[in-house]
Amino acid sequence: MEVESVADLVARYEQACGSSIPQAAYDFIAGGSGEEISQQEAVGAWRNFRLRPHVLRNVEDVDTSTTALGTPLRAPVIAAPIAYHSVAHSDGEIETARGVSAAGSLMIVPTRASTPLADIARALGGPWWFQVYFVRDRELTRRIVADAVELGATALVLTGDTPYVGQKRRGQLPPIAPEHYLVNFGKYMQPDAEFMYATSQDPTVILDAVQWLRDVSGLPVIVKGLLRGDDAAACVEAGAAGVIVSNHGGRQLDRAVPAVSALAEVVAAVGDRGEVFVDGGVRSGIDVLIALSLGARAVMLGRPVLWALGAEGAPGVERVLRGLRDELSHAMALAGVNRTANIDRSLVR
Ligand SMILES: Cc1cc2nc3c(=O)[nH]c(=O)nc-3n(C[C@H](O)[C@H](O)[C@H](O)COP(=O)(O)O)c2cc1C
């Protein structure tokens, strides 16, 4: 029997989205900033690493489970924050949440969600994290964080790489109906011109935002979107519980280095002061094994989740997440490690 790899499954879902969702929605998901150089090299960057497997280890019982900031995970794979899931599916984030929950994974719910946070939280039915964009109106930022806390978010992800939204030659604007646009801010303000300014990105945000978020939420905060050891060290010194190494799927500064190539430097800089995560171009269980070998706690998946959502809804999302777990389990067995805690730097070259 032939087994379809997750990479092939995701490619098939992406192709299906090419005809099942509007072109503008496809472009919004697929697109990268600038000439799309960072976007295009992300998948390939993982493939430059080579493994040094162990042999003759008992690997009958492989366990892919781990924890992320204390949250138990069946596998070290998390759904990255993505704005406006309604571009891919009429139920938007709620449908994604069903798939993530069925797979026993963790979802990072975005500030720019296109469905109400309460409905997403209900569909998840378990722990979830909330991604924070600081908008120009600080009080609106505080309110949406307070809503997330009240609805059961257990950690905050502060995206640090988006003082302005990166310029893209395709898919710059999400093609969604007005009723979905910033629905979670809309309950506090009318969607007029003032609202558009108040909810735009705040480019003045600096490191003290970490402590501010901790103070207003009482939750651990991790910073997403950095690519340097010195920035990572500064984040944990400012009170972050960890960082996500990421170039935002090639959607912010074009020609930023691939996240995986910055991972070892960030892991070394953070040391035992926080947990390190990585995203961008992860498409196979072997990518996950490499990420863990380089010191990541877990990986995050962006576009694969939305392609699955657009092509098959929640069952598709579940299939991608479960597929990565199965591939990781198989790769761990062939690398001679049966626990995620036993994956170390010596496995990768
Ligand atoms: C359509 C789209 C929207 C995104 N929106 C957000 C967002 O609102 N906040 C954020 O922190 N990252 C956002 N990201 C970046 C993802 O969280 C993640 O870093 C990236 O998609 C990982 O790369 P991958 O798509 O190759 O898996 C978005 C990515 C895509 C593709």
Side-chain angles (χ1 to χ4, degrees):
M1 192 187 70
E2 284 183 27
V3 180
E4 185 179 35
S5 69
V6 172
D8 286 348
L9 174 67
V10 169
R12 189 160 63 77
Y13 282 158
E14 175 175 351
Q15 203 176 13
C17 285
S19 45
S20 68
I21 66 175
Q23 182 69 39
Y26 180 90
D27 286 345
F28 172 70
I29 300 167
S33 54
E35 297 167 83
E36 300 194 336
I37 291 171
S38 293
Q39 182 259 24
Q40 282 166 21
E41 70 185 5
V43 171
W46 290 97
R47 301 183 169 194
N48 292 330
F49 290 83
R50 292 293 175 270
L51 293 158
R52 303 172 63 239
H54 293 287
V55 297
L56 296 176
R57 304 265 177 113
N58 182 343
V59 288
E60 187 180 28
D61 161 36
V62 173
D63 183 356
T64 60
S65 68
T66 187
T67 62
L69 303 178
T71 304
L73 298 176
R74 277 198 235 162
V77 181
I78 296 171
I82 293 204
Y84 313 119
H85 294 214
S86 297
V87 300
H89 191 283
S90 55
D91 285 346
E93 294 80 7
I94 301 166
E95 184 73 6
T96 309
R98 293 182 184 121
V100 171
S101 163
S105 181
L106 176 70
M107 179 167 171
I108 307 180
V109 176
T111 285
R112 298 187 181 279
S114 49
T115 51
L117 291 182
D119 296 340
I120 304 169
R122 195 171 313 116
L124 285 167
W128 55 284
W129 295 357
F130 183 64
Q131 177 263 334
V132 181
Y133 274 141
F134 277 74
V135 295
R136 289 271 190 182
D137 185 327
R138 184 59 68 99
E139 177 56 15
L140 275 185
T141 308
R142 193 196 61 72
R143 283 190 181 182
I144 199 168
V145 168
D147 287 343
V149 174
E150 190 174 325
L151 291 166
T154 56
L156 300 179
V157 174
L158 167 61
T159 300
D161 61 10
T162 313
Y164 298 97
V165 176
Q167 289 289 338
K168 302 176 192 75
R169 61 181 168 195
R170 55 172 173 160
Q172 179 75 12
L173 293 175
I176 57 167
E179 65 267 26
H180 290 306
Y181 187 72
L182 299 186
V183 65
N184 292 295
F185 289 119
K187 66 185 201 189
Y188 296 118
M189 264 180 109
Q190 292 306 310
D192 53 15
E194 199 187 321
F195 173 80
M196 297 312 288
Y197 181 79
T199 58
S200 64
Q201 303 294 114
D202 180 353
T204 70
V205 174
I206 58 170
L207 263 183
D208 64 7
V210 172
Q211 191 59 46
W212 186 86
L213 282 174
R214 289 182 58 181
D215 291 343
V216 301
S217 71
L219 296 179
V221 175
I222 63 175
V223 178
K224 173 172 185 278
L226 51 80
L227 295 161
R228 304 170 51 116
D230 53 0
D231 278 3
C235 287
V236 291
E237 279 151 26
V243 296
I244 304 175
V245 184
S246 170
N247 68 18
H248 210 119
R251 297 167 73 85
Q252 286 302 109
L253 180 64
D254 194 23
R255 300 196 215 180
V257 295
V260 60
S261 70
L263 181 54
E265 174 186 329
V266 170
V267 166
V270 170
D272 59 7
R273 295 181 292 174
E275 296 183 6
V276 178
F277 303 88
V278 64
D279 75 20
V282 174
R283 300 293 182 268
S284 86
I286 295 177
D287 299 337
V288 184
L289 179 62
I290 288 167
L292 268 57
S293 303
L294 291 169
R297 191 86 196 167
V299 303
M300 282 146 200
L301 278 193
R303 293 181 185 85
V305 170
L306 275 209
W307 296 136
L309 178 69
E312 268 181 13
V317 173
E318 179 184 356
R319 198 160 153 191
V320 166
L321 292 167
R322 277 186 193 274
L324 272 188
R325 181 164 89 222
D326 292 345
E327 285 189 358
L328 173 63
S329 174
H330 185 64
M332 284 170 65
L334 297 190
V337 283
N338 60 6
R339 296 289 178 270
T340 50
N342 297 341
I343 298 172
D344 67 25
R345 187 72 177 79
S346 74
L347 273 182
V348 78
R349 195 181 70 191

